[in-house]
Amino acid sequence: MTRDEKKAEAIKRMKLADIFPQTIKQFEEDGYVSISEPPVGAFFWAEGEDLQRIRDFEEKHNALVYLVIRSYTDFGKMDCYLYVSDYPEEWPQDREDLANSEPMAYVYNHDMPDCSEFGCIGTRRSIAAGLLRTW
């Protein structure tokens, strides 16, 4: 799969999740990956070390990250990468999971990086048209 094909799929998913339109436009036109920050789910562009970790993940897994949901938990600061995989046969299920607010994500644990892992997370739309993690 090409990066452009993954990007088109990512934009579909962002619209499906009803993400703030300007955030979608910034991703589509300029390639900005945004982080939805608690408590209101406002968006900030990934920069510096955050962006480097995203790019490293993309390269290692041949994926495209389109949104990051940041959360603060008892287990530390977590970044949930919503991404498009290199396997188009998985995309319909990924869209359905996202529509049900249970997307597959890679969760990066800032405080214990060795505990980072793939898994489903719960989400809800925030008042700022972003996403917040619920579980």
Side-chain angles (χ1 to χ4, degrees):
M1 298 305 305
T2 68
R3 188 167 179 86
D4 286 341
E5 290 169 317
K6 291 178 201 172
K7 189 173 185 178
E9 174 65 17
I11 292 164
K12 286 180 190 176
R13 293 183 193 186
M14 293 174 85
K15 290 177 179 177
L16 177 66
D18 202 22
I19 299 299
F20 184 60
Q22 188 63 27
T23 300
I24 298 171
K25 182 178 177 183
Q26 291 166 348
F27 176 80
E28 184 174 14
E29 294 180 1
D30 301 315
Y32 290 125
V33 177
S34 292
I35 300 172
S36 184
E37 283 267 1
V40 297
F43 286 110
F44 300 93
W45 294 331
E47 299 176 310
E49 291 178 9
D50 288 329
L51 184 58
Q52 187 58 55
R53 264 191 306 280
I54 291 166
R55 297 302 183 226
D56 291 345
F57 168 83
E58 290 177 329
E59 185 175 326
K60 181 177 181 180
H61 298 283
N62 204 22
L64 176 67
V65 174
Y66 59 92
L67 191 72
V68 177
I69 304 168
R70 182 161 284 164
S71 58
Y72 298 91
T73 73
D74 292 340
F75 303 106
K77 178 179 169 183
M78 308 278 191
D79 280 351
C80 303
Y81 297 173
L82 301 186
Y83 65 94
V84 177
S85 74
D86 205 30
Y87 305 100
E89 63 274 11
E90 297 175 353
W91 294 1
Q93 184 64 54
D94 291 341
R95 285 191 300 271
E96 184 177 330
D97 292 344
L98 182 62
N100 290 327
S101 300
E102 297 179 351
M104 174 63 76
Y106 176 76
V107 182
Y108 177 78
N109 184 322
H110 286 264
D111 298 305
M112 295 181 284
D114 290 345
C115 294
S116 301
E117 62 185 353
F118 289 91
C120 290
I121 62 168
T123 64
R124 70 174 170 84
R125 190 167 184 271
S126 74
I127 60 172
L131 293 177
L132 296 172
R133 184 176 177 181
T134 58
W135 50 267

